[in-house]
């Protein structure tokens, strides 16, 4: 039977069914390919010069905050140094680092720790000033006896005794001598002291106020800063930030070690020299030795007090030994501690501290080594740059007279 026209398979043969293609696949093939959506780009002038719009506002903001920059900087330094302790404190009380209660409590603790030593030192100085005034009043009633060592000087001893007796030896001589001082000079000194106290009270108050927000929002700010630095600046910038944090902590740690070393050593020196309350005056010397050149003034004052009570040789010995202790701690111990943490030698730490103090004041003692540590790290990375190795090798070969390099 003819079956071909009916579309039936021949005898003994199996007809293949046509492959069914899913409609979704056909639709994907037939659908026209959409062009990629272009990225929204800013105009070249806006991308290149857009920062100029923000520059005047940044300058204006710095001008408005110029008197608050130092308190803010101190708050940042204190927060960086104490941040590990703050995290431990927040964990112990069962709070997060962004908790306002934890930030408030820890700010109070840090304020006591920072300001209590200074209050103790200046309180001791003011108490001693009161004793000095009482002692001068007593001398004004009785007259000031000439020191034995001055009277015993050869050739000038007799002349010195006569002059001393005419000026300070009679009752009322001290008040007469003080009246000779110009009242304008005393007024200028009092005004300078008042401005000093006012400025540092202002700095301390706003430092504590900013420190609370630094603890409460510090973790968020650090995360944002790290992301911005990693994305917008050089890839090595996070490492520079870590180095700056390490340098700040090492500088503060060196200052604390310096205070402990100076306090213990000068306490022993004062006790051997017969200074009344040697532990108190040793603590005052150690605390104020953290401030540049102030420790020497305390040692000199203690020596003058000893000399005024007739212990001239003890005064000289205590003054020399105390000055050596402060010099060794400030110029050797602290630079060694700071330099070991930030890979700077003793010379650069010392120069950075002194130069920073001359330029920025007390905060420059901390910022000077930080800036030099960052510059040193950038220099080391620059000389390790592979692109510079051929030039460095060529320069070294030329210096030693390599004939191959000379021919080239």
């Amino acid at each position: 039977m003819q079956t071909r026209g009916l579309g039936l398979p021949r005898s003994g043969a199996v007809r293949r069914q046509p492959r069914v293609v899913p409609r979704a696949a056909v639709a994907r093939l037939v659908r026209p390919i959409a062009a990629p959506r272009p990225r929204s780009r800013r105009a070249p002038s806006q991308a290149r010069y857009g920062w100029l719009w923000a520059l005047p506002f940044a300058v204006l903001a710095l001008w408005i905050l110029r008197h608050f920059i130092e308190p803010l900087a101190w708050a940042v330094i204190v927060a960086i140094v104490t941040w590990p302790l703050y995290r431990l404190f927040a964990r112990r009380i069962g709070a997060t680092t962004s908790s306002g209660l934890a930030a408030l409590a820890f700010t109070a603790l840090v304020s006591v720790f920072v300001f209590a030593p200074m209050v103790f030192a200046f309180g001791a100085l003011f108490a001693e000033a009161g004793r000095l005034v009482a002692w001068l009043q007593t001398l004004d009633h009785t007259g000031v006896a000439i020191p034995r060592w001055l009277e015993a000087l050869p050739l000038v001893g007799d002349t010195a005794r006569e002059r001393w007796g005419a000026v300070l030896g009679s009752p009322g001589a001290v008040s007469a001598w003080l009246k000779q001082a110009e009242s304008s000079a005393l007024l200028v000194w009092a005004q300078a002291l008042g401005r000093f106290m006012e400025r540092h009270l202002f700095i301390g108050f706003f430092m504590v106020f900013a420190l609370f927000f630094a603890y409460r929002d510090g973790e968020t700010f650090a995360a944002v800063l790290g992301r911005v630095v990693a994305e917008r600046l050089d890839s090595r910038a996070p490492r520079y930030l870590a180095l700056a944090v390490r340098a700040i902590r090492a500088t503060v740690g060196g200052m604390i070690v310096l205070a402990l070393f100076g306090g213990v050593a000068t306490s022993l020196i004062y006790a051997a020299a017969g200074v009344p309350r040697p532990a108190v005056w040793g603590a005052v010397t150690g605390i104020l030795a953290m401030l540049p050149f102030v420790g020497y003034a305390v040692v000199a004052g203690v020596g003058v007090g000893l000399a005024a009570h007739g212990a001239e040789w003890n005064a000289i010995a205590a003054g020399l030994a105390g000055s050596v202790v402060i010099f060794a701690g400030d110029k050797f111990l602290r630079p060694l501690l700071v330099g070991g943490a930030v890979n700077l030698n003793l010379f650069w730490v010392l120069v950075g501290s002194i130069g920073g103090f001359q330029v920025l004041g007390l905060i420059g003692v901390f910022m000077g080594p930080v800036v030099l540590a960052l510059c040193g790290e950038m220099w080391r990375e620059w000389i390790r740059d592979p692109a510079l190795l051929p030039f460095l090798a060529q320069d070294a070969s030329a210096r030693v007279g390599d004939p191959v390099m000379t021919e080239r």
Side-chain angles (χ1 to χ4, degrees):
M1 176 182 288
Q2 184 74 17
T3 60
R4 182 176 300 177
L6 299 177
L8 298 177
R10 296 179 182 177
S11 60
V14 180
R15 184 177 180 181
R16 291 182 179 178
Q17 297 295 330
R19 183 179 179 183
V20 179
V21 181
R23 292 184 178 181
V26 176
R28 282 197 300 267
L29 292 175
V30 177
R31 182 186 303 165
I33 300 175
R37 193 174 180 181
R39 293 182 179 180
S40 59
R41 295 182 179 179
R42 293 180 295 178
S45 59
Q46 183 181 0
R48 184 175 301 178
Y49 303 110
W51 60 271
L52 290 176
W53 293 96
L55 184 60
F57 294 98
V59 173
L60 181 60
L62 289 176
W63 177 256
I64 293 173
L65 297 175
R66 66 188 186 278
H67 296 299
F68 297 90
I69 291 177
E70 189 171 357
L72 293 174
W74 277 115
V76 171
I77 290 174
V78 175
I80 288 174
V81 172
T82 59
W83 186 257
L85 296 176
Y86 173 60
R87 295 181 64 183
L88 180 62
F89 174 81
R91 194 181 309 120
R92 287 294 179 87
I93 67 173
T96 61
T97 53
S98 60
S99 171
L101 180 60
L104 181 61
F106 197 75
T107 301
L109 291 176
V110 170
S111 302
V112 171
F113 178 78
V114 170
F115 291 110
M118 290 297 174
V119 171
F120 166 76
F122 284 106
L125 291 178
F126 280 117
E128 191 63 24
R131 296 189 185 95
L132 177 62
V133 171
W135 179 62
L136 290 177
Q137 290 176 350
T138 302
L139 292 179
D140 188 53
H141 290 294
T142 61
V144 183
I146 184 173
R148 291 192 300 270
W149 61 270
L150 181 60
E151 188 178 10
L153 289 176
L155 301 179
V156 298
D158 295 337
T159 305
R161 183 174 62 253
E162 294 176 1
R163 296 288 298 172
W164 188 281
V167 176
L168 295 174
S170 59
V174 175
S175 58
W177 179 70
L178 290 176
K179 288 179 181 179
Q180 294 178 0
E182 296 184 3
S183 59
S184 60
L186 296 176
L187 180 61
V188 169
W189 180 82
Q191 290 176 347
L193 180 61
R195 286 193 297 268
F196 175 83
M197 297 298 295
E198 179 185 2
R199 172 174 173 77
H200 285 80
L201 286 174
F202 171 82
I203 291 174
F205 174 78
F206 279 99
M207 185 202 77
V208 172
F209 193 53
L211 190 60
F212 165 76
F213 294 98
Y215 286 136
R216 194 191 66 176
D217 305 325
E219 199 164 38
T220 303
F221 178 76
V224 173
L225 179 63
R227 187 174 70 249
V228 171
V229 166
E231 293 178 355
R232 299 297 179 90
L233 300 179
D234 192 88
S235 60
R236 294 167 292 186
R239 189 164 70 253
Y240 294 152
L241 284 178
L243 177 63
V245 170
R246 192 165 67 248
I248 291 174
R249 289 175 177 170
T251 304
V252 175
M255 298 283 284
I256 295 174
V257 172
L258 172 63
L260 295 175
F261 169 75
V264 172
T266 53
S267 296
L268 298 176
I269 292 171
Y270 295 158
V275 176
R277 302 180 303 281
V280 173
W281 284 109
V284 171
T285 305
I287 293 170
L288 296 183
M290 294 189 294
L291 307 177
F293 311 112
V294 179
Y296 297 103
V298 178
V299 172
V302 171
V304 169
L306 283 174
H309 288 83
E312 293 86 3
W313 293 109
N314 289 352
I316 295 174
L320 291 177
S323 299
V324 169
V325 166
I326 294 176
F327 181 84
D330 191 33
K331 302 301 186 293
F332 294 98
L333 179 61
R334 184 169 60 85
L336 285 176
L337 294 174
V338 177
V342 297
N343 199 15
L344 279 180
N345 60 29
L346 184 147
F347 173 78
W348 291 114
V349 175
L350 182 61
V351 169
S353 300
I354 297 176
F357 176 73
Q358 292 176 343
V359 174
L360 300 175
L362 182 58
I363 200 170
V365 177
F366 301 91
M367 299 308 299
V370 173
V371 173
L372 293 188
L374 292 175
C375 292
E377 182 65 20
M378 293 176 186
W379 168 257
R380 284 186 290 270
E381 289 187 354
W382 185 75
I383 62 176
R384 288 197 301 262
D385 191 348
L388 296 174
L389 293 180
F391 299 98
L392 296 176
Q394 181 178 0
D395 183 65
S397 301
R399 284 198 302 269
V400 298
D402 188 354
V404 177
M405 298 305 299
T406 305
E407 290 178 5
R408 291 183 183 178

